[in-house]
């Protein structure tokens, strides 16, 4: 049975943080282990590809929980839960929600978190937005240490806590980058007093800066004051949030930004007609080169990946498109589609990154396998040979009540004709990443590389 809430020593912060005293649960080793073993069994039950991609899951998980101390606080408990989920070698996990005991204090302004947003380049942390009360940072300043812990060590710990397909780090990096402020607080430290070693962007010297973590409403207030243009730039949703098509001088640029069902339902989109309209327009415009941008497309409805195949088919298709296996062992085979009359026959170039994920990554695979696309950017975030996704099984851990969502359908593709890898995403033909100068100047070296390749491809 979960222990009653125990008040840790109250932390009275300055009025500028606006934070109330924080209380949290703690668990005996028996209670914590009950959660861990339950989670392990649920992952074994619902992940139909566990033995294929990670046969050592149970051994690794047991080794992790063998170090459980006699008493575990709520944050350390959640950290171990996350590590077990990450050991499953699949990315489609939901770790808790904003109503559980570790997340809710952030929502309720009881738990302050880091007062800045970051970029992650390799194992370096660089300031993107300064939300401190003092305004002491400049975009591009490097965070060398936080409270004595080197940034590389911090990132390594976060990588251990965030589920990802196989050995793919690009997706993890992108998610850690966008969620770093609160992930640091949940997984690394809840200390509101921050001592940072900072290397200024225009100076190699390292200096120490004192600041404080801030609660959500104070951070938001600082954001609105310091970045009013960003804060006030909210625009109404439009179809351009789903896709954009531009045709100029024989080049069609198609940006597919998401396959989120909310947009699909809002605009009443049907995948076959959606693609037929696009490729009919491309055909009538006598386009010789197609540039498809899937960067940031984290997926959604699978049919918006599958139904594009007839329009990009340039090589002979397989008899089988894919196979899905449910957690109950039910197998479904999908036949390969036929080529459409408006199928594009020119050169295809494809832009991808770590957030080209799930159904977005499936389409990237199809463009590579069947459209002979030249790929530029970063490794995609989803395993190339197959992954577990589909509907989510939500389970509640018995001791803590924390809810974990886990995928339960294995999507498996035929053997690749283009890439022989295991536990990796689509590997680009030209690997291009943004450096700090690109980020500060809002440059796009991935697109620049693609356009230079397209220009060279058009030479007689």
């Amino acid at each position: 049975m979960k222990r009653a809430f125990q008040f840790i020593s109250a932390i009275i912060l300055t009025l500028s943080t606006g934070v109330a005293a924080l209380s949290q649960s703690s668990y005996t080793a028996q209670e914590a282990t009950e959660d861990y073993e339950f989670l392990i069994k649920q992952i074994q039950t619902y992940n139909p590809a566990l033995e294929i991609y990670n046969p050592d899951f149970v051994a690794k998980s047991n080794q992790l929980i063998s170090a459980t101390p006699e008493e575990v606080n709520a944050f350390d408990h959640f950290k171990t839960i996350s590590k077990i989920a990450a050991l499953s070698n699949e990315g489609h996990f939901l770790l808790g929600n904003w109503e559980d005991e570790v997340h809710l204090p952030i929502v309720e302004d009881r738990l302050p978190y880091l007062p800045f947003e970051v970029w992650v380049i390799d194992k370096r942390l660089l300031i993107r937005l300064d939300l401190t009360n003092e305004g002491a940072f400049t975009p591009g300043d490097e965070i060398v240490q936080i409270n004595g812990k080197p940034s590389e060590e911090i990132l390594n710990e976060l990588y251990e806590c965030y589920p990802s397909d196989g050995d793919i780090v690009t997706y993890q990096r992108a998610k850690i980058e966008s969620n770093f402020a609160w992930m640091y607080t949940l997984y690394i430290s809840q200390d509101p007093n921050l001592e940072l070693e900072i290397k200024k962007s225009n100076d190699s010297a390292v200096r120490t800066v004192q600041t404080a973590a801030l609660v959500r409403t104070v951070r938001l207030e600082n954001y609105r004051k310091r970045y009013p243009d960003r804060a006030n730039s909210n625009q109404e949703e439009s179809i351009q949030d789903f896709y954009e098509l531009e045709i100029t001088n024989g080049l069609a640029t198609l940006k597919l930004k998401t396959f989120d069902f909310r947009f699909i339902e809002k605009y009443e989109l049907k995948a076959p007609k959606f693609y037929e309209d696009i490729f009919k327009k491309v055909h009538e415009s006598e386009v010789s080169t197609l540039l498809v941008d899937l960067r940031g497309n984290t997926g959604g409805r699978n049919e918006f990946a599958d139904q594009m195949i007839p329009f990009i088919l340039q090589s002979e298709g397989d008899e089988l498109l894919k196979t899905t296996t449910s957690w109950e062992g039910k197998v479904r085979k999908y036949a390969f589609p036929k080529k459409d009359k408006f199928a594009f026959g020119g050169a295809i170039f494809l832009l991808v990154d770590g957030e080209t994920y799930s159904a977005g990554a499936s389409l990237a695979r199809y463009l590579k396998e069947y459209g002979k696309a030249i790929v530029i950017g970063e490794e995609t975030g989803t395993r190339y040979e197959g992954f577990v996704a589909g509907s989510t099984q939500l389970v509640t851990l018995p001791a803590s009540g924390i809810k974990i969502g886990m995928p339960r359908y294995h999507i498996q593709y035929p053997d690749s004709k283009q890439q022989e890898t295991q536990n990796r995403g689509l590997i680009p033909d030209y690997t291009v990443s943004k450096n700090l100068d690109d980020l500060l100047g809002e440059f796009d070296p991935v697109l620049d590389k693609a356009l230079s390749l397209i220009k060279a491809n058009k030479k007689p």
Side-chain angles (χ1 to χ4, degrees):
M1 183 125 184
K2 187 170 80 170
R3 287 187 176 185
F5 270 39
Q6 299 175 335
F7 281 91
I8 62 173
S9 55
I11 303 172
I12 307 301
L13 301 177
T14 63
L15 290 176
S16 63
T17 64
V19 67
L22 174 69
S23 63
Q24 67 178 82
S25 298
S26 64
Y27 303 89
T28 65
Q30 180 178 350
E31 291 167 340
T33 301
E34 182 183 4
D35 270 2
Y36 306 150
E37 292 180 344
F38 180 82
L39 178 58
I40 291 169
K41 289 180 180 178
Q42 296 302 299
I43 292 173
Q44 286 180 292
T45 297
Y46 291 109
N47 183 350
L50 190 64
E51 291 300 315
I52 297 174
Y53 301 131
N54 194 3
D56 298 327
F57 167 71
V58 174
K60 291 177 180 177
S61 297
N62 286 335
Q63 183 178 4
L64 179 63
I65 67 178
S66 67
T68 303
E70 293 184 2
E71 188 171 14
V72 186
N73 71 44
F75 293 101
D76 289 340
H77 186 51
F78 182 68
K79 187 173 184 177
T80 301
I81 289 168
S82 299
K83 285 183 176 181
I84 292 172
L87 285 174
S88 69
N89 237 353
E90 296 293 342
H92 288 74
F93 267 79
L94 303 175
L95 303 178
N97 58 47
W98 291 105
E99 298 177 355
D100 63 42
E101 62 181 333
V102 292
H103 291 86
L104 186 59
I106 291 179
V107 178
E108 293 183 339
D109 278 3
R110 292 186 289 116
L111 179 61
Y113 55 115
L114 295 184
F116 45 77
E117 302 294 325
V118 302
W119 288 305
V120 177
I121 299 180
D122 298 324
K123 293 297 179 69
R124 299 166 63 210
L125 291 172
L126 301 118
I127 296 289
R128 183 171 68 89
L129 298 178
D130 178 6
L131 306 177
T132 63
N133 289 331
E134 304 84 2
F137 303 123
T138 302
D141 287 351
E142 181 176 356
I143 303 170
V144 180
Q145 292 189 9
I146 303 177
N147 288 351
K149 180 169 286 194
S151 294
E152 182 173 353
E153 185 177 334
I154 291 169
L155 288 169
N156 285 339
E157 288 189 39
L158 294 181
Y159 278 117
E160 291 179 355
C161 297
Y162 203 94
S164 176
D165 284 10
D167 301 319
I168 303 170
V169 298
T170 53
Y171 179 72
Q172 287 177 305
R173 188 203 68 225
K175 292 306 179 183
I176 289 170
E177 180 179 82
S178 60
N179 301 315
F180 181 79
W182 59 263
M183 287 184 68
Y184 174 89
T185 299
L186 293 189
Y187 291 119
I188 307 298
S189 173
Q190 296 79 51
D191 189 345
N193 302 305
L194 302 172
E195 181 178 278
L196 288 75
E197 287 193 5
I198 297 291
K199 185 185 294 183
K200 301 294 288 184
S201 58
N202 58 354
D203 188 354
S204 61
V206 176
R207 64 195 69 186
T208 301
V209 177
Q210 306 284 345
T211 189
L214 300 175
V215 294
R216 183 177 59 90
T217 54
V218 176
R219 286 179 94 256
L220 182 58
E221 183 180 350
N222 288 349
Y223 175 74
R224 288 170 175 163
K225 289 179 180 178
R226 199 158 294 149
Y227 305 99
D229 291 342
R230 294 172 182 261
N232 297 324
S233 64
N234 293 334
Q235 299 178 351
E236 292 186 6
E237 288 183 347
S238 72
I239 191 66
Q240 289 187 337
D241 295 309
F242 187 80
Y243 90 108
E244 289 184 50
L245 175 66
E246 180 181 345
I247 299 176
T248 307
N249 298 326
L251 171 65
T253 301
L254 176 60
K255 296 181 181 180
L256 294 168
K257 303 176 182 181
T258 181
F259 297 142
D260 192 312
F261 76 94
R262 290 171 296 181
F263 289 102
I264 293 168
E265 292 183 353
K266 180 177 180 179
Y267 298 110
E268 299 181 345
L269 300 172
K270 303 295 182 182
K273 186 177 187 309
F274 173 76
Y275 287 124
E276 182 177 8
D277 290 346
I278 288 174
F279 282 91
K280 181 179 180 182
K281 185 179 295 185
V282 168
H283 177 78
E284 291 173 348
S285 301
E286 299 183 351
V287 167
S288 60
T289 306
L290 174 63
L291 175 61
V292 181
D293 190 346
L294 291 177
R295 291 177 294 175
N297 187 327
T298 55
R301 297 289 292 268
N302 288 325
E303 66 264 30
F304 278 82
D306 299 350
Q307 294 291 336
M308 190 178 185
I309 294 176
F311 299 94
I312 51 92
L313 193 57
Q314 295 190 6
S315 61
E316 184 178 349
D318 299 288
E319 293 182 5
L320 187 67
L321 174 62
K322 62 182 179 181
T323 302
T324 61
T325 305
S326 75
W327 67 278
E328 298 170 305
K330 296 179 181 178
V331 177
R332 180 180 176 184
K333 297 182 183 295
Y334 292 75
F336 200 89
K338 296 180 179 180
K339 188 174 182 178
D340 190 88
K341 63 181 179 180
F342 293 122
F344 182 72
I348 300 177
F349 293 80
L350 172 63
L351 310 185
V352 294
D353 61 11
E355 290 189 290
T356 305
Y357 186 72
S358 195
S362 294
L363 178 54
R365 185 188 199 277
Y366 298 153
L367 285 160
K368 178 68 175 178
E369 291 287 325
Y370 309 121
K372 298 181 180 179
I374 297 172
V375 185
I376 306 102
E378 297 178 324
E379 179 181 2
T380 61
T382 298
R383 188 185 292 105
Y384 195 72
E385 64 267 34
F387 57 97
V388 180
S391 63
T392 298
Q393 180 69 37
L394 190 66
V395 301
T396 302
L397 304 186
S400 64
I402 289 175
K403 298 183 185 300
I404 303 295
M406 57 190 67
R408 58 183 189 174
Y409 280 83
H410 180 205
I411 300 169
Q412 195 168 15
Y413 297 111
D415 291 341
S416 171
K417 299 180 176 65
Q418 301 292 334
Q419 177 176 310
E420 295 182 5
T421 56
Q422 291 184 335
N423 274 324
R424 300 295 300 271
L426 169 57
I427 307 298
D429 300 294
Y430 298 89
T431 297
V432 182
S433 301
K434 293 183 179 181
N435 59 31
L436 180 57
D437 289 338
D438 296 325
L439 294 167
L440 290 172
E442 299 184 355
F443 302 133
D444 191 346
V446 181
L447 178 59
D448 289 347
K449 179 64 176 178
L451 292 177
S452 68
L453 291 170
I454 290 169
K455 183 178 180 180
N457 187 62
K458 287 185 175 180
K459 289 182 178 179

